[in-house]
Amino acid sequence: MGTPQDGLSEVVPQAGLHGVATGAIPVDSVDHKARSPVTEITSAQEGNPMTTSPERLLETSTSEAPRQDPATDLGVRRVTLEPWGVTVGPVSHLADERYRLSRLRFDHFEVRQVGATVGAEVHGVDLCTPLDDAVIAELTQCLHEFKVLFFRDQPLTPGQHVSFARRFGELEVHPFIPANPDHPELVRFEKEATVGGYENGWHSDVTWREVPSLGAVLHAVEVPPIGGDTLFADMGAAYDGLDDKLRTRIDGMTAIHDYSKVFGHAVKAADREAMRAQFPPVEHPVVRVHPATGRRILYVNRFFTDHIVGLDRDESDRLIDRLAAQAETVEYQCRFAWSEHSVAFWDNRAVQHYAASDYWPQRRVMERASIVGERPEG
């Protein structure tokens, strides 16, 4: 890459995920250190962008040269537009993982990759029927790779929904959200003109539990004609996108999570003491390590994370906001448009999600089974 233009700072070459480029290879021999063809492109770490003004970004290199794309002189790097601090340009640290995922193949079903590093539609599996252990094992592997799996045309009965989810572990019962009357393991989100959707914020489910969910299986029972999509963000990619200094700072930090930030208003006064005793504030790592993949994952959210241990309130609030904002980077996301009897199965350890609340006053009914996980470790 050539010498930076006047007024533009040097950039830091960027490696792949976790600083190691990861090329794509078939699923039966995954090697996360294999390199893809894009690895040789020199680029800037997303957290260490160069800075410029919008006017300079749009300039061409010389007035005499033939007109070319204004981005030509910038190479492959992130650029911050001042004075707003908005960062634009290729999110290049996703390239190797995107390529690796595109090469994965499975024996019992086909997949279509949805986002750069998150999301896959699965075809060739009928969730309404009992599945062989080999299929469940391969779905588990696929979930670890893509973080969220989508299925179409799965007219599950509540019993079939519970049976499928239970193949991946013990199911939890939510203490605050109403359940299917016949299956307490199924949380029922029944939204209409008198009940709004307030799940439109980035979060991982039940991080206020000592042992949060491993994952969740969400079934669309009734969907509005337009709207009500769910978005998912890869929080491993979000962690990798931080600059080295911030990653070093937060590794080893812990944070307190508390249900009362969201559900406290719904607890009756007479029940508050008992509920607090059952679900006290819990301490989890700010960066957790995925137990199956070894990925480092940002594990704070604005819904349930109260504060970071060892910081004063103002500093803690600023840091939580900074880290939680990583989920808002569109390049880390995928978006699922629901149809009746669609199913989403996500790894609650690896992603955060956001349910768009753009369908009011239309009716939207979803049922979710959540699988008990393990205590997060850093």
Side-chain angles (χ1 to χ4, degrees):
M1 185 174 295
T3 303
Q5 300 176 24
D6 294 341
L8 304 184
S9 60
E10 285 281 2
V11 297
V12 180
Q14 178 191 310
L17 298 173
H18 311 290
V20 178
T22 53
I25 56 177
V27 69
D28 56 353
S29 58
V30 173
D31 177 0
H32 289 267
K33 293 185 179 181
R35 299 171 70 87
S36 77
V38 298
T39 303
E40 300 309 318
I41 297 175
T42 303
S43 57
Q45 174 70 29
E46 268 62 35
N48 299 322
M50 58 189 288
T51 59
T52 188
S53 67
E55 293 80 6
R56 187 152 182 87
L57 181 62
L58 296 175
E59 290 176 357
T60 54
S61 57
T62 69
S63 58
E64 295 80 12
R67 182 170 295 177
Q68 60 183 4
D69 190 310
T72 301
D73 292 336
L74 297 176
V76 182
R77 64 185 77 180
R78 297 284 274 170
V79 176
T80 299
L81 301 183
E82 299 297 344
W84 303 284
V86 175
T87 305
V88 298
V91 186
S92 55
H93 77 275
L94 306 179
D96 292 309
E97 180 71 349
R98 183 187 67 241
Y99 177 77
R100 187 185 70 82
L101 291 175
S102 74
R103 296 285 306 281
L104 298 183
R105 301 294 182 267
F106 298 88
D107 292 333
H108 296 91
F109 46 80
E110 296 182 352
V111 299
R112 182 184 70 82
Q113 189 172 347
V114 176
T117 64
V118 60
E121 282 199 6
V122 178
H123 301 278
V125 176
D126 183 358
L127 305 185
C128 300
T129 61
L131 298 175
D132 293 342
D133 289 345
V135 178
I136 295 297
E138 201 167 44
L139 284 173
T140 300
Q141 181 183 5
C142 190
L143 181 69
H144 293 160
E145 298 287 0
F146 289 99
K147 299 93 178 170
V148 54
L149 308 180
F150 304 115
F151 306 81
R152 298 286 187 184
D153 302 316
Q154 304 287 336
L156 294 165
T157 66
Q160 291 169 339
H161 187 172
V162 169
S163 294
F164 171 71
R166 191 169 278 142
R167 295 294 300 276
F168 300 89
E170 179 186 355
L171 303 186
E172 65 184 34
V173 175
H174 202 290
F176 303 113
I177 303 176
N180 179 293
D182 299 318
H183 295 274
E185 306 94 336
L186 291 182
V187 168
R188 186 173 176 87
F189 300 93
E190 192 165 351
K191 308 296 183 178
E192 53 188 358
T194 60
V195 183
Y198 290 90
E199 298 79 26
N200 55 332
W202 288 104
H203 64 287
S204 299
D205 289 331
V206 300
T207 63
W208 44 266
R209 288 185 184 270
E210 182 176 1
V211 179
S213 304
L214 175 155
V217 180
L218 185 64
H219 175 220
V221 178
E222 187 175 343
V223 297
I226 298 172
D229 297 356
T230 302
L231 296 83
F232 297 87
D234 178 354
M235 299 311 292
Y239 171 80
D240 292 334
L242 298 173
D243 64 79
D244 294 341
K245 183 178 180 180
L246 185 51
R247 286 203 303 267
T248 299
R249 181 188 179 196
I250 64 176
D251 283 342
M253 280 186 167
T254 60
I256 302 299
H257 297 245
D258 188 350
Y259 75 81
S260 66
K261 290 171 64 66
V262 171
F263 298 116
H265 72 281
V267 180
K268 297 178 181 178
D271 298 332
R272 287 173 186 164
E273 185 176 349
M275 192 62 72
R276 175 52 78 199
Q278 185 177 1
F279 299 106
V282 296
E283 187 172 346
H284 294 316
V286 169
V287 180
R288 73 174 296 177
V289 176
H290 194 287
T293 68
R295 287 292 307 274
R296 302 187 71 76
I297 298 163
L298 280 182
Y299 201 64
V300 296
N301 64 87
R302 298 187 184 103
F303 273 22
F304 303 124
T305 308
D306 182 74
H307 66 276
I308 294 177
V309 175
L311 302 183
D312 63 44
R313 175 58 70 173
D314 287 345
E315 185 179 6
S316 172
D317 288 349
R318 288 194 301 271
L319 184 54
I320 290 171
D321 188 60
R322 169 71 181 87
L323 299 177
Q326 285 292 95
E328 299 165 4
T329 301
V330 173
E331 288 84 356
Y332 301 154
Q333 301 170 11
C334 69
R335 182 173 185 138
F336 187 58
W338 294 93
S339 54
E340 188 172 324
H341 296 311
S342 294
V343 170
F345 180 13
W346 68 87
D347 187 333
N348 193 56
R349 304 161 298 187
V351 300
Q352 292 189 18
H353 59 281
Y354 178 115
S357 191
D358 55 354
Y359 52 89
W360 183 91
Q362 299 294 322
R363 183 172 167 82
R364 182 180 186 267
V365 182
M366 316 290 281
E367 290 189 332
R368 185 187 78 199
S370 294
I371 303 152
V372 176
E374 59 285 306
R375 186 174 179 86
E377 295 185 1

